Amino acid sequence: MRALCFQGEPVDESSVKKMILTFEKRSYKNQELRIKFPDTPGRFMETELDLNDIIQEMHVIATMPDLYHLLVELNAVHSLLGLLSHENTDILSFKDVVDLLQELTDIDTLHESEEGAEVLIDSLLEGQVVALLVQNMERLDEQVKEEADGVYNTLAIIENMAEFRPGLCTEAAQQGLMQWLLKRIKAKIPFDANKLYCSEILAILLQNNDSTRELLGELDGIDVLLQQLSVFKRHNPATAEEQEMMENLFDALCSCLMLAANRDRFLRGEGLQLMNLMLREKKMSRTSALKVLDHGMIGPEGSDDCHKFVDILGLRTIFPLFMKTPKKMRKAGTVDKEHEEHVCSIIASCLRNLKAQQRTRLLSKFTENDCEKVDRLMELHFKYLEAVQLADKRIEGEKHDMVKRGEILDDVMEDEFYLRRLDAGLFVLQLLCYIMVEISNSGISQLQQRVHQILNLRGGSVKVVRHIMREYAENIGDGKSEEFKESEQKRIMDLLENF
């Protein structure tokens, strides 16, 4: 363990100042000699070693985040970034600076002193740290182990900063990071830890961020993701790490499809065909392909994808998955609820979006084989209704006990109760009721009769379905315009009128 002392003194504010000033002097001396004797490394080698020594000493500052302000006030951040940006800086110095920055930005350390962390991150961002790190990664040769480690540690700095301040993702992506990540992900080199890390950082950049999603689309990133994922159409990942990378790329694709413009790129890049093939091939990628289809087809922006899905015979793929949850999916760690939610959501999106002949083809699926799809629909309805009612009963009991104890039911508790209802399968139940109401309004009397017949046989009730659908309508259109929300709620209420 490194002793907390510098030049024989215990490390405190005074010795940290001394350390930073020593670093500043050595950094200046080194740059001065480099400029004076650019072609004679022997003339500045000693200052290079002195500089590396003091950078190593400065790692101790990473144990004292409340003193980070000194790094900014005494210009050390500026000088460290200067070492990154200097074209003559050799790989050794670059690696030392990166190692130090990685330790300074360690996420646990940052949270120890929010104030110190804010000051450091502000100063790094002001100095265009991400752009400098990307430029340096560009010149590293990952065939050399030390340089490959340099790339990994650089990505760690970016991850640390993004975790501490998610708002910097947009800026980081625009400073060349998005372009570099896409280039590295599609590079024809064997899978390694750096490729896995790149997929993680990419997924982080795209979380809840329309700016980065748009940038990825403009950089042809949708095609890059589809090309990388196509490998897993007929082959399973070779290792757990490669499987993790595959999931990260699928998550990135799902994020991107939240943006309408990327749905079009996905469609043109034949993303639907790839996902449909993955569902048929029954490999590990099947679970995530289902999730991608759900993201691509949901809402009014998914209309083109829904029509194309029918054209490429996607209904022949999705309905067998509706009729029976495959055992293989359970083995892959997917619970039934997650699988059934995505399948029901895809069918609900098709019912919402399809017009003309494609809609007719969808509805005919429900009438074939003596309405077996309707029987399955009702079986799932009662399964999830029972689970949600059981959760509701428990929640009511807990609320009653809270009132008896004189406790106040605040918004936090209400949110927790709602999450527990979702966990029990509320959203799947709402989707099943929506499908039920849609097919009953299709004008095909056979479907409406079968729905009502099974409801009556199993002691179900139209009133319960209406209640579930009203709750669904109330929560619809999050993040959408008020106009969309109102028209969608009206459409659902009109469907309920005739149910």
Side-chain angles (χ1 to χ4, degrees):
M1 191 172 159
R2 191 186 288 116
L4 293 182
C5 60
F6 174 65
Q7 293 181 352
E9 296 175 21
V11 172
D12 55 15
E13 185 162 349
S14 162
S15 56
V16 166
K17 278 182 181 173
K18 221 179 256 185
M19 189 186 294
I20 294 170
L21 291 169
T22 304
F23 162 71
E24 282 295 312
K25 277 180 200 159
R26 291 184 188 180
S27 174
Y28 179 75
K29 183 78 176 158
N30 176 254
Q31 291 299 347
E32 193 179 37
L33 290 176
R34 276 178 170 277
I35 292 162
K36 208 169 178 183
F37 308 107
D39 305 320
T40 341
R43 301 296 292 269
F44 55 78
M45 189 48 70
E46 196 179 330
T47 63
E48 189 81 12
L49 295 170
D50 288 345
L51 180 59
N52 289 343
D53 286 346
I54 191 67
I55 291 173
Q56 293 305 322
E57 294 269 8
M58 285 168 72
H59 279 259
V60 78
I61 303 173
T63 63
M64 314 171 113
D66 50 323
L67 297 182
Y68 278 4
H69 64 96
L70 295 174
L71 288 167
V72 178
E73 288 160 15
L74 299 173
N75 212 36
V77 172
H78 180 76
S79 298
L80 285 167
L81 295 179
L83 287 175
L84 286 183
S85 63
H86 201 284
E87 59 187 30
N88 289 329
T89 303
D90 63 17
I91 299 302
L92 182 69
S93 291
F94 166 70
K95 191 176 177 308
D96 286 339
V97 174
V98 164
D99 288 352
L100 176 59
L101 288 176
Q102 187 196 347
E103 212 167 317
L104 290 170
T105 58
D106 176 83
I107 194 66
D108 294 330
T109 307
L110 292 180
H111 285 304
E112 277 174 37
S113 168
E114 301 275 334
E115 203 178 322
E118 291 287 356
V119 170
L120 176 67
I121 301 293
D122 282 344
S123 183
L124 287 169
L125 291 176
E126 210 176 293
Q128 304 266 300
V129 64
V130 178
L132 292 173
L133 291 171
V134 170
Q135 281 163 25
N136 275 288
M137 286 195 293
E138 292 273 9
R139 67 194 184 103
L140 293 179
D141 175 7
E142 290 187 58
Q143 303 302 312
V144 180
K145 191 191 177 303
E146 287 76 14
E147 299 188 28
D149 290 347
V151 168
Y152 190 91
N153 294 342
T154 302
L155 293 172
I157 297 168
I158 293 166
E159 184 188 23
N160 290 339
M161 294 198 305
E163 191 177 333
F164 183 76
R165 191 183 290 177
L168 65 79
C169 286
T170 305
E171 199 181 324
Q174 288 164 350
Q175 285 183 15
L177 179 61
M178 178 72 79
Q179 199 158 8
W180 185 88
L181 288 171
L182 291 171
K183 188 175 146 192
R184 177 60 179 82
I185 284 168
K186 70 177 181 181
K188 288 181 167 55
I189 45 181
F191 172 77
D192 62 2
N194 283 356
K195 186 167 183 176
L196 171 59
Y197 212 167
C198 286
S199 70
E200 276 176 45
I201 302 287
L202 186 64
I204 290 168
L205 288 185
L206 295 164
Q207 270 171 13
N208 311 316
N209 192 324
D210 278 349
S211 300
T212 55
R213 291 166 183 165
E214 195 169 344
L215 180 62
L216 180 134
E218 287 164 0
L219 294 170
D220 295 329
I222 299 291
D223 278 350
V224 173
L225 292 173
L226 292 174
Q227 282 159 14
Q228 291 302 308
L229 288 168
S230 66
V231 177
F232 304 109
K233 180 174 61 186
R234 293 198 172 92
H235 303 283
N236 280 332
T239 61
E241 288 75 22
E242 196 174 16
Q243 186 185 348
E244 194 184 332
M245 182 201 68
M246 177 185 82
E247 297 300 347
N248 288 336
L249 296 179
F250 271 120
D251 286 345
L253 188 53
C254 286
S255 275
C256 289
L257 291 176
M258 308 284 272
L259 192 74
N262 284 335
R263 306 256 185 122
D264 187 42
R265 294 176 176 117
F266 176 72
L267 188 64
R268 281 183 282 132
E270 300 194 346
L272 283 168
Q273 287 89 327
L274 177 61
M275 298 306 131
N276 196 33
L277 279 169
M278 284 176 167
L279 292 185
R280 289 182 183 179
E281 287 291 341
K282 302 177 183 176
K283 297 293 179 195
M284 267 183 195
S285 57
R286 177 159 69 160
T287 307
S288 297
L290 195 61
K291 190 164 73 170
V292 170
L293 283 174
D294 184 4
H295 278 76
M297 294 161 77
I298 206 163
E301 307 89 349
S303 179
D304 289 347
D305 281 352
C306 286
H307 285 86
K308 185 67 178 176
F309 187 66
V310 176
D311 293 345
I312 63 169
L313 308 179
L315 297 179
R316 288 187 194 176
T317 315
I318 205 71
F319 272 104
L321 295 174
F322 175 68
M323 293 302 289
K324 189 167 185 278
T325 299
K327 285 191 175 71
K328 262 189 179 177
M329 282 197 164
R330 289 175 196 163
K331 278 181 198 162
T334 308
V335 289
D336 288 5
K337 181 170 80 75
E338 192 184 333
H339 168 84
E340 285 156 7
E341 181 180 315
H342 290 311
V343 173
C344 291
S345 181
I346 288 166
I347 294 170
S349 294
C350 286
L351 282 164
R352 188 210 178 281
N353 287 324
L354 292 177
K355 304 271 186 292
Q357 141 207 17
Q358 282 101 333
R359 184 175 174 82
T360 308
R361 281 163 71 179
L362 172 63
L363 290 167
S364 70
K365 283 282 173 192
F366 284 97
T367 58
E368 68 186 19
N369 298 336
D370 189 27
C371 297
E372 64 174 7
K373 314 283 190 308
V374 182
D375 294 352
R376 172 64 171 162
L377 175 72
M378 301 310 288
E379 178 196 330
L380 287 169
H381 167 71
F382 284 106
K383 169 185 157 180
Y384 281 100
L385 181 63
E386 192 181 326
V388 172
Q389 285 177 335
L390 186 64
D392 283 346
K393 200 173 173 183
R394 284 182 182 145
I395 288 166
E396 280 312 309
E398 285 180 41
K399 284 182 177 178
H400 180 71
D401 290 346
M402 283 176 75
V403 171
K404 271 171 76 176
R405 291 195 299 267
E407 292 174 19
I408 294 166
L409 188 63
D410 59 11
D411 288 348
V412 176
M413 280 308 295
E414 285 288 10
D415 287 347
E416 195 181 310
F417 287 142
Y418 183 65
L419 286 174
R420 274 168 55 186
R421 296 183 73 216
L422 283 178
D423 206 41
L426 176 63
F427 184 55
V428 193
L429 179 62
Q430 290 172 343
L431 289 169
L432 290 159
C433 289
Y434 176 77
I435 295 169
M436 205 189 296
V437 171
E438 271 275 17
I439 62 171
S440 297
N441 274 271
S442 64
I444 304 170
S445 57
Q446 188 187 358
L447 294 179
Q448 186 166 21
Q449 283 162 10
R450 188 61 154 251
V451 167
H452 286 276
Q453 181 192 3
I454 298 172
L455 270 179
N456 294 333
L457 268 174
R458 294 199 49 179
S461 125
V462 169
K463 194 175 162 189
V464 169
V465 174
R466 283 192 170 138
H467 173 74
I468 293 163
M469 283 310 296
R470 282 197 190 96
E471 191 176 4
Y472 173 64
E474 276 168 26
N475 293 311
I476 211 154
D478 283 346
K480 306 278 184 195
S481 69
E482 206 54 42
E483 192 184 344
F484 166 77
K485 204 170 175 176
E486 282 171 21
S487 71
E488 196 64 1
Q489 284 172 342
K490 184 184 182 306
R491 194 179 70 81
I492 289 168
M493 290 307 170
D494 290 346
L495 288 172
L496 283 179
E497 282 297 309
N498 307 314
F499 179 56

